[in-house]
Amino acid sequence: MARTHVDVTAEIFGSATSIAHLAQFAFDREDSREMTVEYAMRLIQRDWPFEIDHSKTEIECGVGIRVAFKDGSVLHVGAWAD
């Protein structure tokens, strides 16, 4: 399964909804039982290619991804078991 968490501590605009909040919707129609971190990264890259800060984005195979966006917000997507 996939679990998401949004970190807005470095968000630069001070808005209530950041790009990371919106990027969570990339997973709405996906079956989390079939989700891999590589597939999660492809979904984010497909939907938000111009908003990703690639210098601060990380992927740990089998563990999770940390996607940083240009507004300073960060989306963490982790794998976990029920």
Side-chain angles (χ1 to χ4, degrees), residues 19 22-24 26 43-52 69:
I19 297 171
L22 298 173
Q24 291 181 99
L43 288 173
I44 295 294
Q45 288 175 332
R46 179 195 70 196
D47 291 351
W48 299 95
F50 303 110
E51 297 297 333
I52 297 172
F69 295 96

Side-chain angles (χ1 to χ4, degrees), residues 5-7 10-13 18-24 26-27 41 44-45 47-54 56-57 65-77:
H5 171 72
V6 174
D7 178 2
E11 203 268 333
I12 59 177
F13 299 115
S18 68
I19 297 171
H21 285 106
L22 298 173
Q24 291 181 99
F27 306 108
M41 184 62 107
I44 295 294
Q45 288 175 332
D47 291 351
W48 299 95
F50 303 110
E51 297 297 333
I52 297 172
D53 182 348
H54 293 282
K56 297 178 183 173
T57 296
I65 60 175
R66 176 188 185 276
V67 184
F69 295 96
K70 292 180 181 176
D71 69 349
S73 63
V74 178
L75 175 63
H76 299 274
V77 181

